[in-house]
Amino acid sequence: MIDDLLLAPRYGTASLADLLPSVLSCLGAPGDTDRLGLALDVDRVCVLLVDGLGAQALAAESAAAPFLTSLPEASIDAGFPSTTATSLTTLGTGLPSGEHGIVGYCMRLPGEERLFNSLRWQLMGDGPKVDARTTLPPDRIQPHRTIFERATDAGIAAVQVAPSYQDGSGLTLAGWRGGGFRTAYSVGDLVDGVLTALTSAPKTLVYTYHSELDTTGHARGPASRAWRFELANVDRIAAEIAARLPARSALIVTADHGMVELVERIDFDTHPHLSDNVAALGGEPRARHVYTDDSTSVADTWRGVLGDGFLVRTRAEAIEAGWFGPAVTRDAAARIGDLVVIATGNGGVIRSGAEPLQSLMIGHHGSLTPTELRVPLRIHRA
């Protein structure tokens, strides 16, 4: 019955991994197919990724987002886990996490004692919080060719317009290497940067990223008035770009995940039994990688403590269920927890000691519920 509350990501037909291969096909790149049936007869495409914008939340907020909700309604699936580092790499490579290997927010890499935070590209724990781009090169952690590399080979100018902290970051080098980068210093500069990049060559692919909706959802909740006000800002950004698109262009608006409000908090750091035989705890509150010394006993304990609001699966079961995609490489499998624990209701497994800020957040994501997994696919053609 719990499984009925979850969705299987539609890899290959309607997922974030299928979006940019479909765009490349529409732009004439050889070797790619239009898996989503976009049928765009264009020379220039801008993909605006709005961090934290679920398809259900957008559809319910037409008053706050009149432009976006006026576009034909469609959705795709972010993939698993439904979290930023995984989804941005999925979009940038055209591959599910089981192939590109960024299988969670925090994960264990073979040979490393400390967990690896893929969003910050850092080794966590008691050691120094240093940038791991030298010791853990992004092209080794994620060795597959990116969409930008494939676009450049096909004569399509590929440009990322994003905040300065993403320029040359480990995550950017893992998922988006091979193209140009233009820093967006403000919302107005983002819009200007997109329009400038679109006209920089006869054929262009522009990817741009906006984070404030996600930040607002984490801090105030995805049902808050503040979130709706921020959605109105997102809607204006999209409308401004759409109104100024050059001829034979398209704007595609999508997201990396939706968000739910966390109500039930089970604290790994204070519970008397959850840490028994657990070597390390990765992932995030609604999608945990549990690295164990005895997976059978840990699974029994966690099922007994967490109850019906969570699903506890072994690594093999999660892979067999297709959560990480139809194919999982040996490297990716080695990074997945011995157990994968996901929330099916409104709860999460927090860490008040090790992750104090995350434990206080109102909005969370990562699981396979429709609210988190389904993201919008709204398209405007010039």
Side-chain angles (χ1 to χ4, degrees), residues 63 66 107-108 118 122 134 159 196 222 230 235 307 337 353 364 376 378:
M107 58 189 180
R108 172 178 273 181
S118 58
Q122 292 176 343
T134 300
V159 182
T196 300
E230 190 54 43
D235 193 67
H364 285 266
R378 303 283 180 136

Side-chain angles (χ1 to χ4, degrees), residues 22-23 25-27 34-42 250 379 381:
S22 297
V23 169
S25 176
C26 293
L27 291 173
D34 185 4
R35 307 176 196 171
L36 298 181
L38 301 179
L40 297 173
D41 183 17
V42 294
I379 302 175
R381 297 168 175 82

Side-chain angles (χ1 to χ4, degrees), residues 279-349:
L281 185 65
E284 56 198 291
R286 290 185 59 79
R288 286 294 188 184
H289 289 285
V290 188
Y291 304 95
T292 77
D293 298 321
D294 182 351
S295 59
T296 300
S297 68
V298 173
D300 290 341
T301 298
W302 279 58
R303 289 188 180 106
V305 171
L306 300 183
D308 292 340
F310 294 82
L311 202 60
V312 179
R313 290 289 182 263
T314 66
R315 176 193 293 120
E317 288 171 339
I319 291 173
E320 178 65 25
W323 290 1
F324 297 94
V328 176
T329 68
R330 181 182 301 177
D331 285 343
R335 301 169 188 176
I336 297 170
D338 298 287
L339 299 175
V340 183
V341 179
I342 62 174
T344 60
N346 56 12
V349 178

Side-chain angles (χ1 to χ4, degrees), residues 178-346:
F181 189 98
R182 173 169 168 147
T183 296
Y185 294 103
S186 65
V187 167
D189 195 43
L190 181 150
V191 174
D192 180 69
V194 165
L195 297 174
T196 300
L198 280 173
T199 57
S200 63
K203 287 202 172 187
T204 54
L205 169 61
V206 179
Y207 158 67
T208 189
Y209 169 87
H210 186 69
S211 66
E212 280 79 357
L213 190 72
D214 178 74
T215 302
T216 305
H218 281 305
R220 303 299 185 192
S224 65
R225 184 172 62 175
W227 190 92
R228 290 192 294 274
F229 284 150
E230 190 54 43
L231 177 59
N233 289 336
V234 168
D235 193 67
R236 183 178 175 187
I237 292 169
E240 293 284 358
I241 294 173
R244 293 164 176 79
L245 286 176
R248 294 185 56 77
S249 298
L251 169 66
I252 300 175
V253 180
T254 191
D256 52 350
H257 56 76
M259 191 175 286
V260 300
E261 183 170 329
L262 209 64
V263 177
E264 180 187 13
R265 298 168 190 266
I266 301 174
D267 194 345
F268 175 87
D269 287 343
T270 62
H271 195 279
H273 301 300
L274 280 183
S275 61
D276 292 351
N277 294 313
V278 174
L281 185 65
E284 56 198 291
R286 290 185 59 79
R288 286 294 188 184
H289 289 285
V290 188
Y291 304 95
T292 77
D293 298 321
D294 182 351
S295 59
T296 300
S297 68
V298 173
D300 290 341
T301 298
W302 279 58
R303 289 188 180 106
V305 171
L306 300 183
D308 292 340
F310 294 82
L311 202 60
V312 179
R313 290 289 182 263
T314 66
R315 176 193 293 120
E317 288 171 339
I319 291 173
E320 178 65 25
W323 290 1
F324 297 94
V328 176
T329 68
R330 181 182 301 177
D331 285 343
R335 301 169 188 176
I336 297 170
D338 298 287
L339 299 175
V340 183
V341 179
I342 62 174
T344 60
N346 56 12

